[in-house]
Every structure is written in C-alpha cells, then in structure tokens.
Amino acid sequence: QVQLQESGPGLVKPSETLSLTCAVSGYSISSGYYWGWIRQPPGKGLEWIGSIYHSGSTYYNPSLKSRVTISVDTSKNQFSLKLSSVTAADTAVYYCASHYGYPDWFDPWGQGTLVTVSS
Amino acid sequence: QSALTQPRSVSGSPGQSVTISCTGTSSDVGGYNYVSWYQQHPGKAPKLMIYDVSKRPSGVPDRFSGSKSGNTASLTISGLQAEDEADYYCCSYAGSYVFGTGTKVTVL
C-alpha cells in the first residue's frame, strides 16, 4: 500500500524559495507511476502544481511553470517541490499525491503540510 | 485555465439524494473522460471517490455515483448519511489538471 508523507519548513520568507519533500513508502518510485503536488490556500480550493514521472519527465501548471521545479530522487524514494519567488499568495497546505498515468486520478494523497509565507 | 464551477453548497436530509454539478468547457470536462471527484473532511487530505467520470474505487460505497453530459459532470450521493458531510471537489484533465471550486455538502 502506497503511503506518502510531506516534509519541509512551515515558514518561508517572501521572495525566497519554498522547498518540500514527499517520502514514498510501500512502493518503489523507480517502478513507475507519476508523482504530483497539489496545494490548497486556507479556506479555498485545490490547485494542481505539477507532476513528475519516475523517469524524470515533468508536467507543470502553466500558471506556475516559471517558478516551479519538481524532481525525483529514486535512491531515497522521494520527490521534491521547489517554488521560487514566493509571496503571501503561496501560503497553502501542500499535498503530494500519486497517479498511475497521465492523465489519471490522484490516489493516494499525503496528509499535507502547511507552508506560510511571511517575513 | 479557470476553475471548474461547482455550487457553493448543497444539503439534504439523511436518506435523501443530492447531486453536485461540475461545469467546465469543451476544453476540459467536455473534451475528456478524465473527471474525478474527491471528498475532503475538515483538516484532512482529499479522498478519491470517483474516477474516469463514473468509476468507483474499491472501498467507496455504491451510494456514490458519477456521470457526465456535455460540459457538465455530476456526483450523486444516494441515501445520504451523516458521514457524507464534507467538501467535494471535481477535477478534470485539460492539457493539465483543473479542479472545481468545491461544494460543501450538509446533512440536515
């Protein structure tokens, strides 16, 4: 059974880079699947940030593409998100999730981690 | 890409049926059969309830069903139960992924 767990700083300063990692257990990332990031500002809806295939192919939300980098580390069985030049609008709960194909559905999800952008 | 449009809230009594609509365009909902639905309880991660418009994952009660007509997808909860009270989000492929605005389901 695939399980995902996000980790990273809960507070990031404006203009800096947000960095999060999603540790995968119960499945080897190098075996396949796509691995994605989705965020949810407090009290608001969900927004897909981007996804990566185990081989390293990436797919990004066009509205965030210029600031997003998603990478995979098969040796550590984890994947990561970097979002540059953050502002208060990037304050959100960030979820990692897996999907079998592209396109496909998101399942399962990590528990989420709140990242606040503030000086 | 604009978020898909969902009603802000719907409500029903236990045992009743409620339907949540998810309206997009021919570039997303209407153009692909890649519509999924997620249930989210307060403070929890979303949970997959429906995929590929109308397919139900193992473990999801059969009172949850999905359909699509044109640019609008729908999630129906039949025999509403107290534990169904949550937020629900649709999601469609559109070259990338776009989510709906979310609907709060209240069990009266």
Side-chain angles (χ1 to χ4, degrees):
Chain A
Q1 181 180 352
V2 182
Q3 292 185 311
L4 300 95
Q5 178 68 58
E6 305 89 348
S7 63
L11 181 64
V12 180
K13 289 183 169 55
S15 81
E16 295 189 344
T17 296
L18 177 160
S19 296
L20 295 174
T21 296
C22 182
V24 179
S25 59
Y27 185 83
S28 172
I29 281 186
S30 58
S31 296
Y33 281 24
Y34 291 77
W35 309 92
W37 289 96
I38 296 146
R39 69 179 182 179
Q40 184 174 36
K44 296 187 178 181
L46 300 165
E47 179 181 37
W48 175 69
I49 300 170
S51 296
I52 188 167
Y53 191 45
H54 71 97
S55 63
S57 299
T58 52
Y59 308 80
Y60 296 137
N61 185 325
S63 67
L64 297 169
K65 186 174 183 177
S66 63
R67 299 194 292 132
V68 174
T69 302
I70 297 176
S71 60
V72 64
D73 186 339
T74 55
S75 67
K76 294 182 178 180
N77 215 42
Q78 64 186 34
F79 61 105
S80 299
L81 167 70
K82 290 189 186 298
L83 181 65
S84 64
S85 305
V86 297
T87 69
D90 295 310
T91 294
V93 174
Y94 286 75
Y95 296 100
C96 57
S98 66
H99 47 118
Y100 185 73
Y102 188 90
D104 215 339
W105 55 93
F106 298 101
D107 182 58
W109 297 55
Q111 66 182 29
T113 187
L114 174 63
V115 179
T116 302
V117 178
S118 175
S119 55
Chain B
Q1 233 155 20
S2 298
L4 307 175
T5 301
Q6 297 180 231
R8 197 175 201 89
S9 64
V10 298
S11 61
S13 299
Q16 288 187 330
S17 293
V18 295
T19 296
I20 303 167
S21 60
C22 170
T23 302
T25 68
S26 58
S27 296
D28 40 60
V29 175
Y32 305 92
N33 286 325
Y34 295 114
V35 176
S36 51
W37 289 90
Y38 302 87
Q39 176 192 67
Q40 186 179 35
H41 287 108
K44 300 296 185 182
K47 174 188 174 184
L48 177 69
M49 304 302 284
I50 295 287
Y51 67 95
D52 289 355
V53 176
S54 60
K55 298 177 182 177
R56 205 171 39 249
S58 173
V60 172
D62 60 7
R63 63 178 184 275
F64 289 88
S65 61
S67 63
K68 189 184 85 167
S69 178
N71 297 335
T72 299
S74 298
L75 174 71
T76 298
I77 310 174
S78 306
L80 200 60
Q81 298 187 7
E83 60 262 36
D84 299 334
E85 184 162 296
D87 292 328
Y88 291 82
Y89 293 91
C90 61
C91 179
S92 175
Y93 179 69
S96 57
Y97 291 101
V98 58
F99 283 91
T101 50
T103 298
K104 181 174 179 56
V105 171
T106 301
V107 181
L108 301 172

